[in-house]
Amino acid sequence: VTVIVKDPKLDAETQVSQAQELINQGVDVLAIFPVTPENGATIVRMANEAGIPIAVDNTFLPDDGSAGECIGQVACQYGDIGYAAIEWAANNVADAKLLYVHGGPGEGVYEAYQVGVDRALADFSDKIEMVGLVNGEWVTEASYNVTQTFVNSDIAEFNVVFANNDAQAKGVYQALKEYGMEDIPIISTGGSNEGLQMLKDGQEAANMTAPANIQGLIEFGIIWAFMNGEEWGDAKIPLPIIPIDSSNIDEWIKWDDMDLAYAYVVENIGAYTP
């Protein structure tokens, strides 16, 4: 397999131009991580018109035909990650009072998280309630500041924090430590190497990991099967969410550990054996 890599650097117009270059080269198949869902739909339609099969990752496109036809899709489902975080808190923290330090709104990611969080809060309402919702803007400094402000506000007592990513969790921990509250469990997401170290150091209590390398392996599996005249997996495959805490830290899949990631894919979805 010869792989041609194009990096649009998060620019939608550049990505369309790069896709057209690949189509003009007559590649056998396209794989795309869309800059935006709209951009993904545009490129899928371009590939369809050229008769080139295309797979999509990190975005589920509409099923109504407006986005064209893909051979398969795999995507991180942020709502499911948010649900898993609240479920962990409900099952592991007695009478959980949650402070949610969320990422910045406006790009659809926080909004998707919130859907899952709200659903879990309803499902586990007898075990957990949210007492605070503050915007950490996806970064350490802002998360530190809003956590510090919330602690000083005396709005409500809390005994667990959900931070939308590891950078935010770091800011939350720094703020709590200054007030002698570092024993309050912090839940994060993503599964970065920084998150693993924070879990080992006791700065995170749990991480709802969603290893990005698994997403790439699944997309390749979809393509490999298609090029061999077979189907592999479902038309839309959610990126697995693997909750990790101190009880199962050995199950953490690092984003650069391809062997462990592939073993997980083979065990849970199947091998590439069309």
Side-chain angles (χ1 to χ4, degrees):
V1 177
T2 299
V3 179
I4 304 170
V5 179
K6 298 286 187 179
D7 181 3
K9 301 188 184 302
L10 300 179
D11 183 80
E13 291 185 6
T14 298
Q15 190 170 52
V16 171
S17 296
Q18 291 174 342
Q20 188 62 60
E21 289 177 20
L22 294 170
I23 290 171
N24 292 342
Q25 290 178 38
V27 295
D28 295 305
V29 63
L30 283 169
I32 181 176
F33 183 144
V35 172
T36 68
E38 295 77 15
N39 216 50
T42 295
I43 294 172
V44 168
R45 291 192 295 266
M46 289 166 54
N48 290 169
E49 185 176 346
I52 295 175
I54 183 169
V56 178
D57 72 87
N58 210 54
T59 301
F60 280 161
L61 299 178
D63 293 323
D64 60 6
S66 62
E69 297 294 330
C70 305
I71 61 172
Q73 302 175 68
V74 54
C76 179
Q77 298 296 281
Y78 297 108
D80 292 345
I81 298 175
Y83 187 98
I86 303 309
E87 182 178 21
W88 188 94
N91 291 330
N92 289 275
V93 179
D95 190 25
K97 308 292 184 184
L98 176 75
L99 169 61
Y100 180 14
V101 184
H102 65 78
E107 297 181 356
V109 177
Y110 156 64
E111 291 82 357
Y113 269 111
Q114 190 65 57
V115 170
V117 167
D118 289 343
R119 183 162 55 89
L121 288 170
D123 287 350
F124 301 100
S125 59
D126 59 330
K127 296 181 178 181
I128 187 170
E129 66 172 315
M130 185 165 65
V131 297
L133 179 67
V134 294
N135 181 9
E137 300 177 9
W138 301 112
V139 297
T140 300
E141 183 177 1
S143 298
Y144 168 87
N145 290 335
V146 295
T147 302
Q148 190 177 60
T149 299
F150 190 84
V151 170
N152 287 325
S153 68
D154 293 326
I155 295 174
E157 294 184 359
F158 62 97
N159 58 7
V160 61
V161 181
F162 174 35
N164 258 158
N165 63 27
D166 293 325
Q168 290 188 256
K170 183 177 180 180
V172 171
Y173 178 79
Q174 290 171 347
L176 293 181
K177 187 176 181 180
E178 289 188 7
Y179 290 91
M181 302 168 66
E182 63 265 35
D183 289 339
I184 289 180
I186 300 170
I187 307 164
S188 183
T189 72
S192 69
N193 288 346
E194 182 181 27
L196 175 59
Q197 190 59 51
M198 291 177 70
L199 187 60
K200 289 179 176 179
D201 293 342
Q203 298 176 9
E204 286 186 9
N207 194 297
M208 304 300 107
T209 70
N213 48 352
I214 288 180
Q215 184 165 260
L217 287 166
I218 290 173
E219 186 173 28
F220 183 86
I222 292 168
I223 293 169
W224 183 258
F226 179 85
M227 299 304 289
N228 282 275
E230 301 286 345
E231 292 183 0
W232 181 82
D234 297 325
K236 288 187 173 181
I237 301 177
L239 180 63
I241 302 163
I242 310 172
I244 302 288
D245 55 28
S246 59
S247 68
N248 65 335
I249 197 169
D250 59 326
E251 296 178 20
W252 190 290
I253 299 175
K254 292 183 178 181
W255 290 3
D256 58 357
D257 190 336
M258 301 306 296
D259 291 338
L260 191 57
Y262 182 64
Y264 181 92
V265 171
V266 169
E267 181 178 352
N268 292 276
I269 300 178
Y272 307 154
T273 55

